Amino acid sequence: MKIKQLKVRNFRLLDNMVLNIEEDITLIVGKNNTGKTSMFEAINIFVKTQEISFEDFSQSTYFIFNRLLRLINQVDFNSISERRKEIVEKVIQNQMPKVQLFIEVEYDVTNDSLINLSEFITDLDENRNDATILISYESNNSLSLLFSFLNREKQEISLIRWLKDNIKAFYQTKCFAVDKDSDFKKDIDLSFKSKIEKIVSFEDIKASRTLDDTKSDKNKTLATGFSHYYRERDQTKEDIKKLEETLTNVSIVLKGEYEKVLKDVISDLNNFGVSTPITIPQIEIDSEFNSESVIKNNIKYYYKHESINLPESYNGLGYSNLIFMVLELTSFIERFKNSSEEKKSEFLTILIEEPEAHMHPQMQQVFIKQITKKINKAREEGINIQLIITTHSSHIIAEAGIDLDKGFDRIRYFNKIDGRLEISDFNNFRHKESDKETFRFLKQYLNLHKCDIFFADKVIMVEGVTEKMLLPIMINNVANSLNNEYISILEVGGAYTQKFKELLHFIKVKTLIITDIDSVDGNGEECKTDFANAETCNSTLKDWIPKKNTIDELINCNEEEKFDTEFIRVAFQIAEHSNTYVGRSLEESIINKNLIFFKSEYTKDAINKKVKSLFTLINQHSSENLLIKTPWDLRPKSSSSKTNFSFDLMTFDEKETGLNWEVPLYIKEGLEWLAGICMVNISEK
C-alpha cells in the first residue's frame, strides 16, 4: 500500500497542486517561493492536530469571496421563489472556497489488508486498486456567512478583513471518501484523523531543525536524537529490561541516601507552623529514574578525536544535522515496527525538508546514500515506506534523482509562471524514449556538473570558459538586478547546447543562450563575418534557434526569430550601433566594440611608465602597427591566449587608468531581456 498522488487546493501558494508520489523516494525541487514548504504544511495541518486560519487560504480565493458577495447583493430574497432561493443557495455553497487535501492511496489486492482502508473504497470494480481520502475545510452555511458580513457592526471593514477574524465561526474540517472518476462522495465521521492514521503514518523532519555548536551545548542534539530512538525501541527486549531494573535499584539506594542527607531540613519543614493556624503538608522524598530522561540528560555524548574525547557541542553543525536526521528517521521506523496492532498503520510516509542544511556536498551525498539504504532495508523487512524530500541540493539530486534505471523519474520540479504554480513530473519527460543518446548525455552532464538548473531562477548557457569568466562583470555593467537572483551558468559548448532543448521546454525556466556566430568559408575554414557567402558552423544556430545557415541571414534576424517559446532566447553577434562590422567570436566582438579602449595609452605602475595600449600587455602586438590592425587581426586565437584575454579584462583597473570597456551589444540585449529590462512579445512557434 502506498500514496499514489497528493492534491492540494486553495492552500497558500497551492491553488491546485497535483503531485504524483514515487513508491520509494520523491524529490521536490525548484526555485524559492514555489510552494514546496506549503505542501508539507498542508499535510501536517490536515492530518495532524493543527488548525487552519484564514491566512492559509490562497489569495486567488479572495476574488471568489468577493464575487459571491456581489452575487448575493444582486438577489432580492424577499421577492424570489423558494425554488430560486434554493438554486442560489446551492450555487453559493458549491462555489464558496474550500481548502482541501486529497490523498490517493494505491493498494495491492493480493498482499495488502484492506480492513482500515475499506471505509474509503468507493467502487466495486475489481480492476481498480485505488481509494481517495478528501479532507476539506469548508463552510457550514455560506448564506449565513455572507449575511453575517452584510449585517456587521463596523460597515467600513472589507469582506477579506472580516473573514480573517470570523472564518472559524462558519467553517469546519470535514472528511470524505471520494471516487476520482465520478462525483460520488461519502461522509466520514469526525474521528477521521484516527482512521487516516490507521492507513498512513506521516512523520516529518522540518528545515528549521534546532542545532547547536556552541560551548554551552544547550540543545543537546545527539542526546535528543538518541532519547527519541530509545523511546521507540522494542521495550520487551532483554537489554531494555536490564537497564530498567538497574535504574530501579539505583532509585532505591538513592532514596535512602537522600533521606540521610536531607533529614534535618525535612524535619524542620515538617515542624514548621506547629501550634499555629498554618499547616504545612508533610514532605516525603523519593528517587525516580526515567530511562529516556537519563539517556537525554544524564548520559554525555562525545566525539572521538585522535586520543581525546570532545563534547558534542565541539562538532560542526553539519555532522550534528546528519546524525540527528539519521536518528530521527531510524526512530520513525522503530516506532512503526513496534506499534501495537490497534495503533499500527498500513504504511509510513516521511517528509524531510531541506536535509542539506549545514552539510557540505560530500556529506549531502553520504546522507542520501545512507537514507536510501535504510529505506531499502526497511522495505525488505516488509515495511511499506515512502520518503518525500524537498531540497535545493544538486548533490542529493545527482545521487537519488538521476538514477541509471529510473532516469529523472523521482524529480518533481516546482515552478511559478505568471503567479501560477506548475509542477513538471519527470515521468512525463518522454524525450528519454524518443532520443536515448541525448537523454544519456543529460544524465551524465547533470550528474557530474550542474543539477542546480533545477533550483535556478534563471539560466545562462555559454560555450566556454571565456564567457563564464566575464559574465559577472557584464551582468554588473548592464543588468545588475540579476545579482539579486539565482542564476545557473552552464558551460556546455556550442555543439551540445541543443541537447538541453527538451529539458528547457519541460521545466520552462527562463534561459539565455550566449553563443558565437562562428563564420566559415566554403571549405569550412574560419573566416571574417563579411566574407562572401560565409556560413555558420554553429549547430545551435543552424538546427535550433533561429535555424539559419548563412551569416547574412543571421545578422538580419529580427527579434522574434531569436526565441523558442517565451522562455528561451539566443544571443549571437550583431552589428554595433556605431560599427557595421560583426565579430565572429566573443573576444573579437569585445575588441570590435572597444577599439578605442584597446588602442588607448595609459599610465602604468608607480614610476609613470607609458604603455602604448592594453594589447602590448595581453596580445604582445607591436605598438608601431597596432593602430592599423582590425579586430580580426587582434583577436586571441589559441585557448591559452583566450584565457589570458579574459583574465586581463577581469583584473584591469578601470579606476586607476580612467578607461573602461563596454559589453558587446548582443550580450547586452540578451542580459537585459533575462533581467526583464526589455520586454518582448513572442508568439508560439
Side-chain angles (χ1 to χ4, degrees), residues 219-341:
N219 292 316
K220 298 183 179 178
T221 307
L222 273 181
T224 301
F226 276 111
S227 65
H228 288 177
Y229 170 70
Y230 178 83
R231 182 175 61 214
E232 307 305 341
R233 281 201 58 181
D234 185 354
Q235 302 296 316
T236 64
K237 288 188 175 180
E238 195 62 33
D239 54 353
I240 302 291
K241 288 181 179 179
K242 286 183 179 180
L243 176 59
E244 296 289 351
E245 289 174 3
T246 301
L247 292 175
T248 300
N249 292 334
V250 170
S251 296
I252 294 170
V253 173
L254 286 178
K255 179 181 178 182
E257 297 302 320
Y258 289 156
E259 288 175 343
K260 293 177 184 178
V261 173
L262 301 175
K263 178 180 179 181
D264 291 341
V265 69
I266 291 174
S267 177
D268 289 343
L269 287 172
N270 287 337
N271 291 324
F272 188 82
V274 173
S275 303
T276 71
I278 301 173
T279 302
I280 302 296
Q282 187 170 347
I283 295 173
E284 294 286 341
I285 64 169
D286 205 342
S287 173
E288 293 183 356
F289 276 98
N290 174 273
S291 52
E292 184 183 338
S293 178
V294 168
I295 286 176
K296 182 175 181 180
N297 299 311
N298 181 260
I299 298 177
K300 301 299 181 184
Y301 299 88
Y302 292 89
Y303 294 99
K304 188 73 175 178
H305 181 72
E306 296 181 356
S307 59
I308 62 172
N309 292 335
L310 295 177
E312 175 183 344
S313 61
Y314 279 59
N315 205 44
L317 288 178
Y319 284 103
S320 296
N321 187 34
L322 175 64
I323 295 169
F324 178 76
M325 285 191 295
V326 171
L327 285 170
E328 286 288 273
L329 192 97
T330 305
S331 299
F332 297 152
I333 295 173
E334 287 293 317
R335 180 189 305 167
F336 185 87
K337 285 196 310 187
N338 299 321
S339 295
S340 60
E341 280 303 317

Side-chain angles (χ1 to χ4, degrees), residues 294-512:
V294 168
I295 286 176
K296 182 175 181 180
N297 299 311
N298 181 260
I299 298 177
K300 301 299 181 184
Y301 299 88
Y302 292 89
Y303 294 99
K304 188 73 175 178
H305 181 72
E306 296 181 356
S307 59
I308 62 172
N309 292 335
L310 295 177
E312 175 183 344
S313 61
Y314 279 59
N315 205 44
L317 288 178
Y319 284 103
S320 296
N321 187 34
L322 175 64
I323 295 169
F324 178 76
M325 285 191 295
V326 171
L327 285 170
E328 286 288 273
L329 192 97
T330 305
S331 299
F332 297 152
I333 295 173
E334 287 293 317
R335 180 189 305 167
F336 185 87
K337 285 196 310 187
N338 299 321
S339 295
S340 60
E341 280 303 317
E342 62 271 15
K343 292 184 178 181
K344 200 174 189 70
S345 305
E346 297 294 337
F347 64 98
L348 174 63
T349 300
I350 301 175
L351 316 174
I352 303 182
E353 188 177 1
E354 298 178 16
E356 65 273 10
H358 309 296
M359 293 195 289
H360 63 67
Q362 186 180 10
M363 194 180 292
Q364 294 169 26
Q365 288 183 293
V366 169
F367 165 77
I368 197 64
K369 276 184 179 179
Q370 295 304 314
I371 292 301
T372 303
K373 286 182 181 178
K374 190 167 285 292
I375 288 176
N376 290 336
K377 182 180 178 182
R379 293 171 69 87
E380 289 171 2
E381 294 174 354
I383 299 175
N384 291 334
I385 181 171
Q386 291 172 288
L387 191 63
I388 306 176
I389 302 175
T390 67
T391 181
H392 290 99
S393 167
S394 299
H395 302 278
I396 287 177
I397 284 192
E399 190 62 44
I402 304 177
D403 186 88
L404 291 177
D405 298 321
K406 301 192 73 169
F408 304 112
D409 288 356
R410 289 192 178 109
I411 299 174
R412 306 293 181 266
Y413 177 74
F414 279 45
N415 193 12
K416 194 160 59 174
I417 301 174
D418 297 328
R420 177 175 49 84
L421 174 66
E422 284 196 11
I423 300 176
S424 300
D425 182 340
F426 272 83
N427 284 283
N428 301 322
F429 186 53
R430 295 308 175 198
H431 196 58
K432 62 185 178 183
E433 298 173 358
S434 61
D435 190 344
K436 293 184 178 180
E437 180 182 345
T438 296
F439 189 67
R440 185 164 55 250
F441 165 80
L442 287 174
K443 284 199 294 184
Q444 292 296 324
Y445 181 89
L446 293 175
N447 200 356
L448 296 174
H449 296 286
K450 285 290 182 181
C451 283
D452 62 349
I453 189 174
F454 294 112
F455 317 114
D457 296 313
K458 293 168 184 175
V459 173
I460 301 176
M461 306 185 82
V462 298
E463 288 194 11
V465 67
T466 304
E467 292 94 331
K468 191 169 184 179
M469 290 168 63
L470 294 177
L471 259 177
I473 299 174
M474 295 177 175
I475 288 172
N476 285 337
N477 287 344
V478 301
N480 190 50
S481 64
L482 289 175
N483 289 316
N484 299 322
E485 301 181 80
Y486 178 32
I487 309 297
S488 175
I489 301 175
L490 301 182
E491 182 186 338
V492 294
Y496 294 98
T497 305
Q498 61 183 316
K499 291 187 179 294
F500 288 85
K501 176 181 177 180
E502 298 301 329
L503 178 62
L504 293 173
H505 282 174
F506 193 69
I507 64 177
K508 297 179 183 177
V509 62
K510 195 172 184 180
T511 303
L512 174 65

Side-chain angles (χ1 to χ4, degrees), residues 575-620:
E576 301 292 334
H577 292 313
S578 58
N579 186 350
T580 59
Y581 181 74
V582 176
R584 180 186 189 274
S585 64
L586 171 68
E587 295 82 6
E588 187 183 358
S589 298
I590 292 176
I591 296 168
N592 183 46
K593 175 72 174 179
N594 298 279
L595 272 173
I596 295 175
F597 165 78
F598 284 112
K599 294 181 179 183
S600 296
E601 293 184 350
Y602 68 91
T603 301
K604 178 71 175 176
D605 70 38
I607 60 174
N608 295 328
K609 179 182 177 182
K610 285 281 187 179
V611 178
K612 293 277 184 163
S613 79
L614 186 64
F615 268 103
T616 61
L617 294 178
I618 65 174
N619 252 24
Q620 292 80 47

